[in-house]
């Protein structure tokens, strides 16, 4: 380890001309650095727009199973929105997505016709999520709910939203879909 000691100019045997030159050089470097930073910040040097070309090169199918395990209404709505955007992006890239969304854990409490026990803000998120789930179902996206989770979270299977298919165990579903070549996207 070393330390830097700053001495008065006269003790360093440095002339005022040398001090001036060092100060000027520091300001020149600083000015160039600021110019470069501003150039990139204001967009003079444009970046390429984001794309998925590398990831989707030679991809012919988009078989995906989403493993959803969230316990909050706003988080459920957020991730359903991202799944929809993912679907739309794949369609725009010329692929036909084959999606399965498997809901497990505390998520099952959010997927029922019983909403009276939720706060008003959560009810809004749940209504928006339900609308999105209907759209997914109409688009052919398979929606599965774990009956192991409904049992563990005391959810009456008769209250599960009609767009959702009750399955024995979503872990078994996840194993099966991955064995069939579906990519797993975990959402927690």
């Amino acid at each position: 380890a070393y330390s830097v000691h700053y001495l008065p100019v006269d003790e360093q045997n440095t002339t005022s001309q040398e001090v001036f030159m060092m100060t000027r050089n520091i300001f020149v470097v600083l000015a160039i650095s600021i110019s470069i930073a501003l150039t990139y910040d204001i967009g003079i040097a444009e970046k390429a727009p984001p794309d998925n070309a590398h990831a989707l090169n030679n991809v012919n199918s988009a078989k995906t199973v989403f493993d959803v395990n969230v316990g909050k209404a706003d988080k459920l709505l957020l991730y359903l929105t991202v799944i929809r955007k993912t679907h739309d992006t794949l369609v725009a890239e010329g692929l036909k997505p084959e999606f399965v969304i498997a809901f497990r854990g505390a998520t099952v409490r959010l997927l029922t016709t019983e909403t009276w026990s939720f706060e008003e803000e959560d009810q809004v998120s749940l209504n928006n999520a339900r609308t999105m789930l209907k759209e997914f179902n109409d688009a052919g996206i398979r929606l599965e709910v774990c009956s192991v989770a409904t049992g563990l979270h005391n959810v009456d299977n008769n209250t599960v939203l009609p767009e959702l298919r009750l399955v024995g165990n979503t872990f078994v579903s996840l194993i099966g879909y991955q064995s069939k070549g579906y990519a797993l996207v975990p959402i927690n």
Side-chain angles (χ1 to χ4, degrees):
Y2 66 91
S3 63
V4 177
H5 298 284
Y6 296 98
L7 300 172
V9 172
D10 57 75
E11 290 183 30
Q12 292 180 353
N13 295 325
T14 306
T15 67
S16 60
Q17 176 76 17
E18 291 171 322
V19 171
F20 172 77
M21 294 301 287
M22 287 189 294
T23 305
R24 188 192 70 166
N25 289 343
I26 290 171
F27 281 114
V28 168
V29 170
L30 184 61
I32 291 171
S33 299
I34 289 171
S35 296
I36 290 171
L38 288 175
T39 297
Y40 285 100
D41 283 345
I42 61 173
I44 292 173
E46 292 186 27
K47 295 180 182 179
D51 69 51
N52 301 301
H54 184 75
L56 296 177
N57 188 30
N58 294 321
V59 172
N60 299 319
S61 69
K63 294 168 44 172
T64 310
V65 58
F66 295 90
D67 173 20
V68 180
N69 183 12
V70 297
K72 296 187 181 234
D74 59 340
K75 200 169 179 182
L76 174 64
L77 181 60
L78 170 75
Y79 283 113
L80 291 177
T81 302
V82 173
I83 291 170
R84 180 172 54 196
K85 287 183 182 204
T86 303
H87 183 275
D88 294 348
T89 299
L90 290 169
V91 169
E93 295 284 349
L95 296 171
K96 184 176 184 257
E98 294 178 50
F99 282 3
V100 176
I101 306 174
F103 300 100
R104 65 180 179 89
T107 311
V108 300
R109 294 183 304 105
L110 307 172
L111 302 171
T112 71
T113 55
E114 182 283 298
T115 59
W116 61 266
S117 65
F118 291 96
E119 298 287 329
E120 186 176 332
E121 184 178 321
D122 288 339
Q123 287 185 21
V124 171
S125 293
L126 291 173
N127 286 333
N128 290 332
R130 184 171 187 178
T131 299
M132 202 173 299
L133 290 168
K134 286 179 184 176
E135 293 169 2
F136 286 172
N137 188 55
D138 292 345
I141 295 174
R142 184 170 173 89
L143 306 168
E144 297 185 353
V145 174
C146 181
S147 66
V148 171
T150 59
L152 291 172
H153 291 278
N154 299 315
V155 172
D156 181 352
N157 288 340
N158 293 320
T159 66
V160 172
L161 297 174
E163 299 81 23
L164 308 174
R165 292 179 177 92
L166 197 63
V167 297
N169 184 330
T170 54
F171 285 168
V172 173
S173 292
L174 295 171
I175 292 166
Y177 286 115
Q178 288 179 82
S179 295
K180 294 177 184 178
Y182 282 71
L184 175 65
V185 177
I187 298 174
N188 296 307

